[in-house]
Structure formats: structure tokens, C-alpha cells
């Protein structure tokens, strides 16, 4: 196996392209590996992070007339973007999707979707075999069972695919808090979607703005 290590292996926003696959009501209705609300939250956070960092994002559904529209939480992040609706179960066999990804000129392919064992594993494994540097965001994906999700992850790791969570990806894209143009918007995503981490950040801000007993507030 080729090890994915070294600075160059880390994900960079200027080299990344995100594909969100089949985040639809039908798939969500039989999501059993995660709390459905958590997956909706994490997928929304991932979409928002991609937008903050200027990462091209392709939205795709499968037979939306029966499976339902992509979650509004996600499409609201990209209100002017047309969702690519497919018949192929394997997204990477759909020419429109592959052409859209290829047109970005980027090689760090990031995938999240429902279900992990089907709609994520197939395109991830095919794309990796075709030379793409593939990362799967596991907590913005989910399977029909805990076992199905876990086995799919094991299968993809065996194919040389990188696994991350949305928050780890966002931190890797940020890399340096001195990048102030993205630091502020990213912090808002943490507040809105990162649960305890967002609460901890707000607490930190409270402490920094609360005078120690006996001291006068700044500007007093």
C-alpha cells in the first residue's frame, strides 16, 4: 500500500473539489449508522465550509422524482446551482458528473453521500483507480446499518482512499488562523454546527471579554 503522508498529502482548498451524492429523503429514511439529524447537520456544515474556502461543489441526486430533492439545507448553500440528477447508482459512471469534476482542474476529490456502502464506495473506488486523490467524509455520509457503513469504510481504505470528518477537513483547509479571510466565516460554521466546539469558542469569547474581579473593563 502507498502511504498517504507528508505535507503534500494534506488537503488544500485550491486543489479540492467536493461531490455531495444523494443526500435525499429516501436514503435518509433508512439511514441507521448515524442519527439522521447529525448527518444533515454535518453535510450542511461541509457544504458551508466548501463555500467559505471557494471549493467547487457538485450536487448530485439519483432519480429525484422518486427519491426526493437534495436536502434544502444543502441546496440553500448553493441556491443558483443545478443539481445533476442521475440514473446510474455509481456516480462515477455518470458523464455529466465526471465532466463537471474534471472541468475544475483539481485532483483532490472529496466525496460524501448516502449510502456509504453503495453511493459513496462505488465512485470513490472507481475514481481512486483512475488516479484521483480521493477522500471520503465519513460523518457526512451514512449507511443502512452500522455494519454496512463500517465495512464500506474498511473496503475503501483497502483501495487507498483517505477518510476524514467534516471538522478535520475544515481545519485542514484553514491550516493557519492567520488566514483571516476564512477564519471568521469558519468560526461561524463551528458555532452553528460543531456542537460543543462551537459552545467552547463562545465561552472563550465570553471569558476574554469579562473583566477579572477588581479590574475595570477595557475602555472604562
Amino acid at each position: 500500500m502507498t502511504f498517504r503522508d507528508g505535507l503534500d498529502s494534506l488537503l488544500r482548498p485550491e486543489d479540492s473539489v467536493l461531490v455531495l451524492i444523494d443526500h435525499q429523503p429516501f436514503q435518509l429514511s433508512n439511514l441507521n449508522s448515524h442519527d439522521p439529524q447529525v448527518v444533515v447537520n454535518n453535510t450542511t456544515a461541509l457544504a458551508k465550509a466548501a463555500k467559505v474556502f471557494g471549493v467547487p461543489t457538485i450536487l448530485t441526486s439519483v432519480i429525484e422524482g422518486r427519491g426526493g430533492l437534495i436536502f434544502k439545507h444543502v441546496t440553500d448553500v448553493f441556491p443558483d446551482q443545478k443539481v445533476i440528477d442521475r440514473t446510474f447508482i455509481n456516480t462515477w459512471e455518470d458523464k455529466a458528473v465526471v465532466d463537471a469534476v474534471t472541468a475544475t482542474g483539481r485532483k483532490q476529490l472529496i466525496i460524501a453521500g448516502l449510502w456509504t456502502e453503495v453511493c459513496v464506495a462505488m465512485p470513490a473506488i472507481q475514481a481512486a483507480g483512475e488516479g484521483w486523490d480521493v477522500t471520503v467524509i465519513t460523518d457526512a455520509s451514512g449507511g443502512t446499518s452500522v455494519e454496512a457503513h463500517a465495512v464500506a469504510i474498511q473496503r475503501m481504505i483497502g483501495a487507498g482512499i483517505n477518510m476524514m470528518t467534516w471538522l478535520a477537513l475544515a481545519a485542514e483547509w484553514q491550516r493557519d488562523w492567520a488566514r483571516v479571510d476564512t477564519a471568521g466565516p469558519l468560526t461561524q460554521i463551528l458555532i452553528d454546527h460543531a456542537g460543543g466546539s462551537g459552545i467552547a469558542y463562545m465561552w472563550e469569547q465570553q471569558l476574554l471579554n469579562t473583566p477579572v474581579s477588581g479590574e475595570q473593563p477595557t475602555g472604562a
Side-chain angles (χ1 to χ4, degrees):
M1 177 184 292
T2 300
F3 288 96
R4 193 178 189 282
D5 54 17
L7 183 61
D8 286 345
S9 73
L10 298 182
L11 299 181
R12 301 168 294 278
E14 63 273 17
D15 293 327
S16 297
V17 53
L18 173 65
V19 181
L20 297 178
I21 301 173
D22 302 350
H23 290 95
Q24 298 170 257
F26 175 82
Q27 283 84 339
L28 192 71
S29 69
N30 195 34
L31 177 69
N32 296 297
S33 61
H34 296 71
D35 182 333
Q37 295 182 72
V38 171
V39 171
V40 173
N41 173 77
N42 294 347
T43 305
T44 305
L46 174 60
K48 288 181 178 180
K51 187 168 187 177
V52 163
F53 288 99
V55 173
T57 301
I58 287 83
L59 308 179
T60 181
S61 58
V62 61
I63 314 181
E64 69 174 23
R66 281 184 273 171
L69 302 174
I70 296 287
F71 307 153
K72 185 176 185 294
H73 311 68
V74 174
T75 54
D76 279 354
V77 179
F78 307 102
D80 300 321
Q81 186 162 326
K82 178 176 172 51
V83 175
I84 300 174
D85 193 41
R86 317 177 321 278
T87 58
F88 280 106
I89 297 173
N90 176 11
T91 297
W92 216 245
E93 291 184 72
D94 188 281
K95 186 176 185 299
V97 175
V98 177
D99 285 351
V101 173
T102 303
T104 68
R106 297 159 182 235
K107 292 297 287 184
Q108 292 185 330
L109 174 61
I110 301 161
I111 295 175
L114 303 177
W115 298 307
T116 319
E117 67 270 31
V118 179
C119 301
V120 174
M122 283 194 280
I125 290 169
Q126 182 181 346
E130 294 175 358
W132 294 82
D133 179 3
V134 183
T135 293
V136 166
I137 307 304
T138 60
D139 61 349
S141 304
T144 56
S145 68
V146 173
E147 179 181 9
H149 180 75
V151 170
I153 289 174
Q154 292 172 4
R155 181 187 180 202
M156 289 186 283
I157 290 173
I161 294 162
N162 183 41
M163 299 291 152
M164 295 182 74
T165 57
W166 80 263
L167 186 53
L169 174 64
E172 204 153 297
W173 278 341
Q174 179 65 33
R175 200 77 62 83
D176 185 349
W177 288 118
R179 296 172 178 169
V180 293
D181 54 334
T182 53
L186 175 58
T187 298
Q188 188 59 51
I189 295 173
L190 300 184
I191 291 170
D192 292 341
H193 297 283
S197 297
I199 297 297
Y201 173 79
M202 289 189 290
W203 181 35
E204 178 186 65
Q205 296 307 299
Q206 175 193 338
L207 294 177
L208 289 172
N209 289 283
T210 301
V212 177
S213 179
E215 291 185 358
Q216 292 297 316
T218 302

